[in-house]
Amino acid sequence: MLGLDLMAAPASAIPSDSDVAFEELYRSSRDDVFAFVAGMLRDQVAAEDVTATAFERAYRRSSSFDGRRGSRRAWLFGIARNAALDELRRRKRVTELTTEPVDEGIGPDEGAEVALRRAVLREAMAGLTDAERELVGLRFFAGLTIREVAAVISTSERAAAMRVHRTIEKLREACDGAA
Amino acid sequence: MALRDLWRRQRDDGPIPDEVQAQTEAVDAILRGATAPEGMEDLDDLVRDLRADRPAPDQGFATELDEWASEGFARGGRPGEEKRQLAARGAGGLSMRRLAPAGALAATVLVTAVAVSQMGDGTDEALDDGGVVTEEVPAATEDASPAADAVGSASSPAESAGQLDRGAEREGPPVFAVVVVKVPSSDVHSTRAEVIAVARRLGGRPASATQLKAGASSPLELVVPAGRVGAAVSDIREVGADSNVELPREVTPADAAELTISVRIVAK
């Protein structure tokens, strides 16, 4: 167990519902937030920094969470998205950092067919726009529902579903074209 | 303009097309671990492949983040400070800015070239311990920042150029960084041993090239896991109280399975 003591409260204090909720959120979302952010930034070090920033901000703003506006998970990913966008803007403003592609190492358990298919998919991913890559990160890397995706990117469920659909079709076409 | 906005609002508030809805539900099912409905097998492959390739956090970072969280995200306990400093110093691009997706082969880093230097009369002097050679590193060279300069003051110009020229002549992995550690002359040999120990502690080992070139002014090469390159540089720097890191101008190839860190131990 992680044993979070997020409020740094005296040992005798009873954690509030908010503390417990945040701890659960942290536990269930840590790797998902990193995966989403890393997918956007394609930069290991920056992804770690932004992930840490996102959780810190979320923790400090946990009292601002309003359940009527969406799930706690969508709220967290909205914070992570803003932090990642800040990082992207900072990069463009400060310097043109070279963005290295995702390490395309083939897992030891991959068969030849799967390895080839995934190599093609990675190439297709490289052809996505930043906005499309963001959708892939939210939907597939982080596993958010369409409703949550819509909340994170501030659009309607229909628009979110359509955008994800178009991104999937774009990936499919790219994969089919390369096959 | 207003009409367009109205049209968009009506469109966005409308029902999701059946085809899109079916695909959405299928993706939801696959993400939950179920199989895709009949006729959507390729979607099943696509989603699973995307999931398999999703970036995963480095275990060291995850542990640090957990600890920071357990401290209530206290000021000063932020994880990854060393990595950020290294990244900031290598604004042209660092190999650490690579994702390590789950399932990727564990790469290794080759930690190379403990070219030990100390003040002398300008000629290299081979010592009896593995050919450790010492020479002075002029302050001006130290201040010249670019890694080429730092290595350029190593014992052999040809070797030094080779260390930084990732593509030409030198065998082995490309150079990741040059670490200069300054220690009292009496500590040169023990420091060398400590540097090797650092690599071993991180799962590394001396590379064969090191043993082949065990003569005077020869580099010492060590292999450590790539995922621990930040820790390797950090720990090597901590071996001496006075150290700095130089980063080569060239971007480390993203597909490099191994990388080289050049460590110079300089006698103060």
Side-chain angles (χ1 to χ4, degrees), chain B residues 10 18 25 52 69 96 119-120 122 137 165 193 248 261:
Chain B
Q10 286 179 338
D18 290 344
E25 290 172 2
M96 284 192 301
M119 182 177 293
V137 175
D165 185 353
I261 297 176

Side-chain angles (χ1 to χ4, degrees), chain B residues 16 37-38 124 133 251:
Chain B
I16 298 173
E38 200 173 319
D124 290 349
V133 171
V251 177

Side-chain angles (χ1 to χ4, degrees), chain A residues 61-76:
Chain A
R61 298 174 189 173
S62 54
S63 60
S64 69
F65 168 69
D66 182 354
R68 292 169 298 183
R69 299 175 62 182
S71 71
R72 196 175 284 271
R73 193 168 158 81
W75 168 76
L76 170 65

Side-chain angles (χ1 to χ4, degrees), chain A residues 42 99-104 126, chain B residues 97-99 254-255:
Chain A
R42 293 186 290 176
T99 304
E100 298 179 14
V102 174
D103 187 336
E104 296 180 354
Chain B
R97 288 200 292 269
R98 290 187 301 155
L99 298 173
D255 59 354

Side-chain angles (χ1 to χ4, degrees), chain B residues 18 20-21 35 45 53 72 103 119 128-129 136 151 184 189 193 196:
Chain B
D18 290 344
V20 177
Q21 183 63 36
T35 53
D45 286 342
D53 259 3
M119 182 177 293
D128 55 2
D129 180 10
E136 180 180 19
V151 175
H189 294 104
I196 296 172

